[in-house]
Amino acid sequence: TVGQSISSLTPVQFSPTGLWFKPFAPTHLQASLDGSNDWTVSFVPVSRLNGWWGSGYAPALDPDTTTWSADVLKAGSVVRTLTGSLSSPSILYTAAQQTADGFTAGQSGIQFNVYQVGPIGRGYSNTVTT
């Protein structure tokens, strides 16, 4: 529109989708198995607002993104959804939960899709498989 009259332009419809509010996917997902056959998945939350890269700098979490959600998948289907706070960014999937969901406790091949949750719901996911 530089140098053009607004009245000479063709209007374009725009419907905001709110994608700016959709949380980014967590990063650095790692799964570890303990002696009790419990899986722990740890991750690093990612900030939309304060996420610039700086040496020795840990960005503050977005004030509107304080929880996480994780789907446990078996053969591509969700068998359990776990939730928690981003102040403790890890998932505990106990041997008892694994057995109840049809797994053998401590088995490999369990897929976790992990999301940060914000004002418009779940954000983008990141995946780790045991």
Side-chain angles (χ1 to χ4, degrees):
T1 61
V2 175
Q4 297 179 5
S5 167
I6 291 178
S7 63
S8 70
L9 300 175
T10 303
V12 176
Q13 291 293 329
F14 173 75
S15 297
T17 60
L19 281 181
W20 170 250
F21 295 104
K22 189 171 182 176
F24 294 154
T27 188
H28 300 296
L29 277 68
Q30 293 183 330
S32 60
L33 185 65
D34 68 16
S36 299
N37 284 329
D38 295 342
W39 282 105
T40 299
V41 175
S42 60
F43 58 92
V44 175
V46 177
S47 175
R48 295 182 336 272
L49 304 175
N50 301 305
W52 65 276
W53 291 91
S55 179
Y57 172 75
L61 293 176
D62 298 327
D64 60 358
T65 305
T66 58
T67 60
W68 58 260
S69 175
D71 289 336
V72 181
L73 285 84
K74 180 178 184 182
S77 296
V78 175
V79 293
R80 182 180 297 266
T81 299
L82 304 165
T83 59
S85 168
L86 286 177
S87 63
S88 177
S90 66
I91 300 158
L92 179 63
Y93 188 45
T94 67
Q97 290 171 322
Q98 294 168 52
T99 301
D101 294 340
F103 294 108
T104 301
Q107 84 173 55
S108 60
I110 301 172
Q111 181 179 330
F112 295 86
N113 290 345
V114 183
Y115 308 80
Q116 292 176 189
V117 181
I120 63 168
R122 286 177 157 188
Y124 299 97
S125 71
N126 205 344
T127 301
V128 65
T129 302
T130 63

